[in-house]
Amino acid sequence: MGLPRNPNSRSADYLDGMLGDSGKSSKWRPQKSTSARLVTLLTCLQFAFAVYATFLLYYMSPSIDLRTPKPDFAWASRIAQQWKHYIIPPHVVTRYQESASNLVLEPQPMISTPSEVCEHEKIEFEQKKSNDALMIKIKRELYDQVRDFQAKNSGTESLTELMSMKSKWDMSSPQKIPKVTVILNHFKRKTLCSQLDSLLHQTLPFHHVWVLSFGSPNELGLKRIVESYNDTRISFISSSYDFKYYGRFQMALQTEADLVYILDDDMIPGTKMLQILSHVAGTDKYKNSVLGSIGRILPFRQKDFTFPSYRKFRSKEAGLYLPDPAYDITVDKIVQVDFLSSSWFLSAELVKTLFIETPFTFMTGEDLHLSYQLQKYRNAGSFVLPVDPKDKETWGDSEHRLAYVSETTVIFKDVVTVRDDQWWRALSTGYITQWAAMNPQKIDALFYAHTIEEVKALGPLLEKFRSTVGKKAYIVVPGGGFCSCEEATSALHWPKTVCRERRFKIFDLGVGALSGISNSEVPVVQAVYASMKGLIKVHNPSVVITVDDIDSNVRKALKMATESNSNSSTLVHLPRSSITKVLWMADLRSTALPNWNRMRVSVNIITQNRVNSLTRLLKSLKDAYYLGDEVPISFNMDSRVDEPTLKLVKTFDWPHGPKTLRRRIIQGGLIRAVSESWYPSSDDDFGLLLEDDIEVSPYYYLWIKYALLSYHYDPQVSLPELSSISLYTPRLVEVVKERPKWNATDYFKRIHPNTPYLHQLPCSWGAVFFPKHWREFYVYMNMRFTEDAKQNPVQIPKSRTNGWQASWKKFLIDMMYLRGYVSLYPNFPNQMSFSTNHMEPGAHISAKDNVVRHNKTDFEVPLLKDDFKTYLPNGKMPSASKLPSLNLFNQAVSLKGLKSAGSKLRQDVLNCTVTEVVVVDHETGLPSRCATF
């Protein structure tokens, strides 16, 4: 450092003399001593300046991380200026100046002042104001609706209320003053000086200001402006490549500040904005949010169920721009919006969220993408802050007219089209907009297919839902390299225009935007979960339906997404082979569908020594459709069970659930074997009781499930009298002595020949019993059981059951008769049923003490081998109110009439009047009181 020496110069001679040895004349000694000290001081000063310059150049190097604070060396310059006159005598300076006048030096650039380099936009027009009365009314009404909704659901605060909230950043101590990095992105507008002037006068000082110039034609001018402020906290960062709108957010990833404030070049914040924004960002309510001064509420659905462009003119459904001076709409209370424009204030940590998914495009739409990603992956909202209309220093946009100077590209038609596609894609992949929040949807089914084969498999059930009056169902595909919307519509034979319509029908998640070429399952699971969680929350499906062999990781994502919905959506996994067998699912009420997985039906087999019969039963059970449900099976064997039966039950493989074996120590007989074969563990535990000479239809489980969902699990249906569901259709009136033949199809032909019906007679040849009524039956049987049937106090008039002795069914008939309970029976042509009795020798049939002779043709009925839905009235289960009911003797009697007949006997365990029936505690089955019916 310093000037180069010239041996021919006068200055050099003078310095040589000052540095001469001590052998010179003594008269010069004082001068030499003074000169030596001067040289020493000059050397030290030169060294200090060398160190200063080294550090300064080091910190100015572009290789240095901008996040490292630059030290302020202005103090060194000031000291050097003050000490110059004391350290270097004026005559020395003069001689140096004379010597320097003969040197050729590089010209040093002069640092200008802001006043010399600053330019300002000329605004020679007034703020635009609309005089369209209709539009003013439309916008005002919609804004009031939004504000009222948010006030009721989440609460809204004025600026004063916000500033009175407890905040992490309240400036009460140095530790509570946040570090804020401000990022200014400039291209053409002449607003940099106005922005910097405002930032330098903020009531909360900024930590850093980064001025970005990416591909700007004004790069040199912007750089001169930054240099003119001569503030080490303000940095200029430029690139000849235009990183567009995402570049500033990529730069924000580099900051180590607590908070980031990103501003468009048309935003001049008031001097109180940093303090206001920081305070609000430090509150518990808004700490997980992005804050700004301008925002937009996306379109609402129109009457034709489509969504308009967000720039559609004279349309209430086009949404809102807030605040909107054109319609005299100001924000006096904080308002949640769908995305922010022109400025974003958020924690540095939240900025990372913008880049979880690849944006729809890098050319525009970073504002929407940020808000969408923050909500999707951080559950973070976007809010426009209120202002004090009397204090412009509280405004984030103190000169809104700048938006109309060098207007942005969002007004151009092609850009509007791209942005429309972008927000529709966001809404289609789970973005909960203000419209969605204000207008909760309710659909019946949301299908998810991960591959084109799964689309084809689910197609019939999807079409059944969509073609059923009053039903709504949509399908979701992952997109990307898995299954695109176009592929799915082709498989479903839908027009491909469906993929371009802004109408709910099919959703393409665009999973490839997140997973890319990754070999990991994590991105796929994350994308499916995050998108489905939003879609389920927006549309509130009663059920989410997919195939049961779907990818295991996607299955987990769907499970998590469904369970996240507080409105009780149920995830249903259907085996592909069963999908066409459950088209009746679309006929269930939306209130019943969420209970699809709630029931648990167990198969309980009573067996002893009929191994061939048992083999036939097990084969029929194994061949049935179970819809992917877990169905436990138990074998209940008496003490005299034979060896072949033991071997069979031990080796039998049951793929649908756990298998349990029970064997009695002491022979109990059929009455104990059946009644003790099952006891409910909960109110959703249903028991199917089967003796081993029964055989079932492949559709038996579908009948049980359909009936339970229609008449037991539908909150809109009240049928407390229903105590069991029969698989069998009787051909005889078995409680009458003559046992006449009976055909339900002929009997109900005036109503509908194949209507299901309610019957007071329980079925012992294949029936599902309800948990509450079975507990009740246990207690009743315990109180009434006698070895001698004649001692039983219940004697039903004209019923041959009065003489039955070793029958559990006799006690169940008595209880059902006394209390007016019924069982649901199928009714199909030729008395086809879901179970049949082969009438093989056993405890009753062909027993020595049984005087009744049984004709096999009176009991053995054909099994249903095809879909039973087509036989039902109008192809579906009739409403509960339309089910005909029969008494014990196959006579048509109303449910109230059945109760009346039972109460008149006055033979129940409690002494009730003729207008009362016994009411029990369903938890224990114990009788509690009498109640009028």
mmCIF file of all heavy atoms in Angstrom, residues 126-140:
data_model
loop_
_atom_site.group_PDB
_atom_site.id
_atom_site.type_symbol
_atom_site.label_atom_id
_atom_site.label_comp_id
_atom_site.label_asym_id
_atom_site.label_seq_id
_atom_site.Cartn_x
_atom_site.Cartn_y
_atom_site.Cartn_z
ATOM 1 N N GLU A 126 -55.053 10.417 -10.933
ATOM 2 C CA GLU A 126 -55.707 10.096 -9.672
ATOM 3 C C GLU A 126 -55.940 8.603 -9.563
ATOM 4 O O GLU A 126 -55.944 7.880 -10.564
ATOM 5 C CB GLU A 126 -57.054 10.843 -9.584
ATOM 6 C CG GLU A 126 -56.923 12.348 -9.535
ATOM 7 C CD GLU A 126 -56.185 12.820 -8.295
ATOM 8 O OE1 GLU A 126 -56.399 12.206 -7.216
ATOM 9 O OE2 GLU A 126 -55.381 13.765 -8.399
ATOM 10 N N GLN A 127 -56.140 8.133 -8.342
ATOM 11 C CA GLN A 127 -56.460 6.726 -8.110
ATOM 12 C C GLN A 127 -57.748 6.356 -8.861
ATOM 13 O O GLN A 127 -58.741 7.080 -8.816
ATOM 14 C CB GLN A 127 -56.650 6.468 -6.614
ATOM 15 C CG GLN A 127 -57.164 5.086 -6.265
ATOM 16 C CD GLN A 127 -56.207 3.976 -6.657
ATOM 17 O OE1 GLN A 127 -55.047 4.015 -6.284
ATOM 18 N NE2 GLN A 127 -56.688 3.015 -7.423
ATOM 19 N N LYS A 128 -57.713 5.208 -9.552
ATOM 20 C CA LYS A 128 -58.875 4.771 -10.305
ATOM 21 C C LYS A 128 -60.040 4.474 -9.371
ATOM 22 O O LYS A 128 -59.880 3.823 -8.350
ATOM 23 C CB LYS A 128 -58.542 3.523 -11.114
ATOM 24 C CG LYS A 128 -57.549 3.764 -12.239
ATOM 25 C CD LYS A 128 -57.292 2.476 -13.021
ATOM 26 C CE LYS A 128 -56.315 2.726 -14.166
ATOM 27 N NZ LYS A 128 -56.039 1.472 -14.931
ATOM 28 N N LYS A 129 -61.206 4.931 -9.721
ATOM 29 C CA LYS A 129 -62.416 4.707 -8.939
ATOM 30 C C LYS A 129 -63.524 4.223 -9.871
ATOM 31 O O LYS A 129 -63.718 4.774 -10.951
ATOM 32 C CB LYS A 129 -62.861 5.979 -8.230
ATOM 33 C CG LYS A 129 -61.926 6.470 -7.140
ATOM 34 C CD LYS A 129 -62.061 5.635 -5.884
ATOM 35 C CE LYS A 129 -61.224 6.198 -4.752
ATOM 36 N NZ LYS A 129 -61.347 5.379 -3.518
ATOM 37 N N SER A 130 -64.232 3.196 -9.445
ATOM 38 C CA SER A 130 -65.315 2.675 -10.262
ATOM 39 C C SER A 130 -66.594 3.460 -9.989
ATOM 40 O O SER A 130 -66.883 3.820 -8.848
ATOM 41 C CB SER A 130 -65.540 1.188 -9.951
ATOM 42 O OG SER A 130 -66.674 0.706 -10.627
ATOM 43 N N ASN A 131 -67.341 3.706 -11.034
ATOM 44 C CA ASN A 131 -68.667 4.304 -10.880
ATOM 45 C C ASN A 131 -69.758 3.318 -11.291
ATOM 46 O O ASN A 131 -70.901 3.693 -11.533
ATOM 47 C CB ASN A 131 -68.765 5.598 -11.701
ATOM 48 C CG ASN A 131 -68.469 5.355 -13.174
ATOM 49 O OD1 ASN A 131 -68.269 4.212 -13.613
ATOM 50 N ND2 ASN A 131 -68.416 6.423 -13.953
ATOM 51 N N ASP A 132 -69.369 2.024 -11.381
ATOM 52 C CA ASP A 132 -70.303 0.953 -11.729
ATOM 53 C C ASP A 132 -71.038 0.534 -10.455
ATOM 54 O O ASP A 132 -70.489 -0.191 -9.624
ATOM 55 C CB ASP A 132 -69.540 -0.212 -12.343
ATOM 56 C CG ASP A 132 -70.465 -1.290 -12.899
ATOM 57 O OD1 ASP A 132 -71.579 -1.444 -12.358
ATOM 58 O OD2 ASP A 132 -70.067 -1.989 -13.838
ATOM 59 N N ALA A 133 -72.271 0.980 -10.300
ATOM 60 C CA ALA A 133 -73.017 0.723 -9.064
ATOM 61 C C ALA A 133 -73.195 -0.767 -8.807
ATOM 62 O O ALA A 133 -73.115 -1.238 -7.664
ATOM 63 C CB ALA A 133 -74.376 1.411 -9.136
ATOM 64 N N LEU A 134 -73.441 -1.541 -9.876
ATOM 65 C CA LEU A 134 -73.634 -2.971 -9.718
ATOM 66 C C LEU A 134 -72.367 -3.642 -9.207
ATOM 67 O O LEU A 134 -72.413 -4.457 -8.274
ATOM 68 C CB LEU A 134 -74.053 -3.597 -11.046
ATOM 69 C CG LEU A 134 -74.213 -5.130 -11.045
ATOM 70 C CD1 LEU A 134 -75.288 -5.554 -10.045
ATOM 71 C CD2 LEU A 134 -74.527 -5.650 -12.446
ATOM 72 N N MET A 135 -71.239 -3.275 -9.792
ATOM 73 C CA MET A 135 -69.979 -3.887 -9.371
ATOM 74 C C MET A 135 -69.628 -3.503 -7.934
ATOM 75 O O MET A 135 -69.133 -4.330 -7.156
ATOM 76 C CB MET A 135 -68.854 -3.464 -10.314
ATOM 77 C CG MET A 135 -68.822 -4.263 -11.607
ATOM 78 S SD MET A 135 -68.511 -6.024 -11.328
ATOM 79 C CE MET A 135 -66.821 -5.973 -10.760
ATOM 80 N N ILE A 136 -69.873 -2.263 -7.588
ATOM 81 C CA ILE A 136 -69.601 -1.812 -6.214
ATOM 82 C C ILE A 136 -70.450 -2.624 -5.237
ATOM 83 O O ILE A 136 -69.965 -3.085 -4.203
ATOM 84 C CB ILE A 136 -69.885 -0.309 -6.073
ATOM 85 C CG1 ILE A 136 -68.878 0.493 -6.911
ATOM 86 C CG2 ILE A 136 -69.825 0.118 -4.619
ATOM 87 C CD1 ILE A 136 -69.186 1.981 -6.973
ATOM 88 N N LYS A 137 -71.712 -2.845 -5.591
ATOM 89 C CA LYS A 137 -72.611 -3.617 -4.739
ATOM 90 C C LYS A 137 -72.141 -5.069 -4.632
ATOM 91 O O LYS A 137 -72.106 -5.644 -3.535
ATOM 92 C CB LYS A 137 -74.022 -3.561 -5.322
ATOM 93 C CG LYS A 137 -75.086 -4.325 -4.511
ATOM 94 C CD LYS A 137 -76.463 -4.108 -5.144
ATOM 95 C CE LYS A 137 -77.549 -4.843 -4.364
ATOM 96 N NZ LYS A 137 -77.428 -6.307 -4.519
ATOM 97 N N ILE A 138 -71.773 -5.662 -5.771
ATOM 98 C CA ILE A 138 -71.333 -7.055 -5.795
ATOM 99 C C ILE A 138 -70.096 -7.253 -4.930
ATOM 100 O O ILE A 138 -70.030 -8.149 -4.087
ATOM 101 C CB ILE A 138 -71.055 -7.497 -7.247
ATOM 102 C CG1 ILE A 138 -72.371 -7.700 -8.004
ATOM 103 C CG2 ILE A 138 -70.220 -8.772 -7.278
ATOM 104 C CD1 ILE A 138 -72.183 -7.995 -9.479
ATOM 105 N N LYS A 139 -69.109 -6.389 -5.151
ATOM 106 C CA LYS A 139 -67.849 -6.530 -4.414
ATOM 107 C C LYS A 139 -68.053 -6.288 -2.922
ATOM 108 O O LYS A 139 -67.494 -6.988 -2.075
ATOM 109 C CB LYS A 139 -66.814 -5.556 -4.970
ATOM 110 C CG LYS A 139 -66.416 -5.811 -6.411
ATOM 111 C CD LYS A 139 -65.645 -7.109 -6.546
ATOM 112 C CE LYS A 139 -65.162 -7.331 -7.975
ATOM 113 N NZ LYS A 139 -64.450 -8.620 -8.137
ATOM 114 N N ARG A 140 -68.836 -5.301 -2.612
ATOM 115 C CA ARG A 140 -69.055 -4.957 -1.208
ATOM 116 C C ARG A 140 -69.775 -6.091 -0.474
ATOM 117 O O ARG A 140 -69.423 -6.453 0.644
ATOM 118 C CB ARG A 140 -69.912 -3.684 -1.197
ATOM 119 C CG ARG A 140 -69.929 -2.808 0.005
ATOM 120 C CD ARG A 140 -68.591 -2.281 0.371
ATOM 121 N NE ARG A 140 -68.248 -2.725 1.701
ATOM 122 C CZ ARG A 140 -67.171 -2.356 2.367
ATOM 123 N NH1 ARG A 140 -66.329 -1.506 1.824
ATOM 124 N NH2 ARG A 140 -66.919 -2.814 3.550
#
